[in-house]
């Protein structure tokens, strides 16, 4: 926990509310900061070269246009490639998705303008509870994080009800369009994933009530230049809670995904989506498609922005492994059911730590 004397902490309260921390944006702009406060320093070098590899040629790529409008042969190959990517990596890049590049850029620009609002203006959106529909802050959950993360964030529930900050001007409208487009892409990917599991195309969507009530969240992450990037992290190793997360970034890499026990730097293809499979796909697929563990590394040169848009089940659904996958007793359920809302609340109010929350529902 941050000490009250730490320069990163301007006010500290022992109530259930998170302490009010200076944003890392402000901290990084202060000319005195040539080394990071000890509250951001990891006990073990998170960038240990022995476990870090560049592996570009192997990261799976899914051509969305083949999935949706290819010939029957192209579609069935795209579906099987998608299933393989989920099984082997839990991570893939999506190209030819049809979401306009200008819209993606405009949303990243809007996010930057949001982070450039004054600290007082942003404070209005701080939120009090982890399930508040609009929340901005720093680190992940500053009231429980043992080490702070070099990250400011805005997190908004955008579906089934669209919430959004009303500042800066125009950001809400752009983001509404972006969220609609990413929801369409996500639902098509989920259809392909459902088929790859040997289920009907709409089976997953229907079982988890994704179309009418599936939770969609818009998360803007800001990682300002860090004077000692090798000592800190923007986000710790974690898996996402939902089904799939679509991520874009402003041309600066930083995402690292775990694969066969190593960390792989993801060099994004311009205009692609970086897609992580989440805990609820692991539960639904009864462990066949394990959620991907990833983290955000830092640099000391430029500000990185990423926009992560996870889509999950309806908050009211108790998610269990798909009944069709556990029939006949050949594959007994490997997870107990939990309401998605309870799972989300548990994950968001805990210290982000690998797959600690998923382990609680594992049988
Ligand atoms: O910024 C990134 O690359 C990762 C962000 C992330 O993992 C998240 O928002 O859940
Ligand atoms: Fe994530």
């Amino acid at each position: 926990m941050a000490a009250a004397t730490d320069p990163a902490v301007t006010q500290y309260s022992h109530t259930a509310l998170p302490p009010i921390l200076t944003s890392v944006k402000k901290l990084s702009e202060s000319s005195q900061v040539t080394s990071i406060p000890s509250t951001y320093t990891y006990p073990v070098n998170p960038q240990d070269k022995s476990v870090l590899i560049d592996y570009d040629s192997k990261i799976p790529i899914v051509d969305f246009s083949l999935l949706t409008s290819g010939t029957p042969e192209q579609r069935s190959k795209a579906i099987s490639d998608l299933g393989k990517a989920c099984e082997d990596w839990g991570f893939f890049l999506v190209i030819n998705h049809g979401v306009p590049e200008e819209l993606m850029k405009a949303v990243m620009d809007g996010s930057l303008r949001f982070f450039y609002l004054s600290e007082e203006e942003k404070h209005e959106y701080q939120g009090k509870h982890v399930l508040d529909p609009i929340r901005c802050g720093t680190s992940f959950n500053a009231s429980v994080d043992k080490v702070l993360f070099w990250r400011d964030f805005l997190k908004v529930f955008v579906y089934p009800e669209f919430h959004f900050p009303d500042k800066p001007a125009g950001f809400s409208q752009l983001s509404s369009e972006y969220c609609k487009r990413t929801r369409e892409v996500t639902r098509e990917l989920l259809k392909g994933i459902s088929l790859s599991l040997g289920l009907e195309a709409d089976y997953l969507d229907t079982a988890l009530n994704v179309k009418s009530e599936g939770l969609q969240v818009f998360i803007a992450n800001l990682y300002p230049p860090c004077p000692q990037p090798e000592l800190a992290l923007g986000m710790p190793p974690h898996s996402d809670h939902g089904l799939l997360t679509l991520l874009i970034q402003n041309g600066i890499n930083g995402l690292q995904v775990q694969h066969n026990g190593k960390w792989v730097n993801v060099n994004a293809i311009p205009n692609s989506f970086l897609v992580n499979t989440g805990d609820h796909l692991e539960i639904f697929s009864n462990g066949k498609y394990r959620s991907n563990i990833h983290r955000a590394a830092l640099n000391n040169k430029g500000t990185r922005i990423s926009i992560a848009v996870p889509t999950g089940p309806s908050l009211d659904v108790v998610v269990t492994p798909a009944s069709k996958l556990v029939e006949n007793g050949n594959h007994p359920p490997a997870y107990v059911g939990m309401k998605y809302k309870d799972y989300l609340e548990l994950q968001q109010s805990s210290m982000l730590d690998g797959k600690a929350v998923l382990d609680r529902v594992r049988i």
Side-chain angles (χ1 to χ4, degrees), residues 271-346:
N271 198 25
S272 62
F273 283 117
L274 288 61
V275 183
N276 281 301
T277 60
D279 293 346
H280 279 79
L281 188 58
E282 174 164 339
I283 297 169
F284 182 80
S285 68
N286 202 25
K288 185 163 190 212
Y289 294 164
R290 279 167 298 140
S291 58
N292 166 260
I293 296 191
H294 54 283
R295 65 186 187 185
L298 301 163
N299 75 79
N300 56 10
K301 295 190 178 66
T303 294
R304 174 168 185 257
I305 290 197
S306 70
I307 313 280
V309 179
T311 296
S314 155
L315 281 174
D316 293 325
V317 171
V318 175
V319 185
T320 55
S323 49
K324 280 207 178 160
L325 299 178
V326 297
E327 268 164 16
N328 319 324
N330 292 340
H331 299 280
Y335 307 83
V336 292
M338 190 192 261
K339 206 190 223 192
Y340 181 44
K341 184 174 178 201
D342 296 337
Y343 191 99
L344 182 67
E345 185 165 358
L346 192 59

Side-chain angles (χ1 to χ4, degrees), residues 151 219 221 223 235 238 240 245 247 249 254-256 276 294-296 304 306 308:
R151 165 210 191 216
I219 305 165
N221 298 303
Y223 308 103
M235 276 196 99
H238 69 281
D240 294 347
T245 302
L247 185 131
Q249 59 180 25
L255 179 67
Q256 298 176 336
N276 281 301
H294 54 283
R295 65 186 187 185
R304 174 168 185 257
S306 70

Side-chain angles (χ1 to χ4, degrees), residues 1-7 9 12 39:
M1 179 61 66
T5 50
D6 193 288
V9 182
Y12 185 79
T39 37

Side-chain angles (χ1 to χ4, degrees), residues 22 30 35-36 47 53 58 83 93-94 103 129 148 174 196 204 207 213 226 230 248 269 322 324 326 329 349:
T22 304
S30 144
S35 63
I36 58 175
Q47 298 296 323
I53 42 175
K58 300 226 173 98
L93 302 178
V94 173
L103 181 61
H129 183 271
L148 294 174
L174 277 169
S196 78
L204 183 154
E213 286 184 9
C226 176
E230 67 293 347
I248 55 173
I269 300 173
K324 280 207 178 160
V326 297
S349 53

Side-chain angles (χ1 to χ4, degrees), residues 127-168:
K128 291 189 171 48
H129 183 271
V130 291
L131 293 187
D132 281 351
I134 302 182
R135 243 169 6 108
C136 79
T138 192
S139 194
F140 176 74
N141 186 343
S143 59
V144 293
D145 294 335
K146 283 208 186 102
V147 178
L148 294 174
F149 305 110
W150 196 264
R151 165 210 191 216
D152 294 334
F153 69 87
L154 167 67
K155 205 176 273 198
V156 195
F157 288 6
V158 288
Y159 196 82
E161 231 181 281
F162 183 76
H163 300 266
F164 221 78
D166 42 16
K167 287 181 226 165

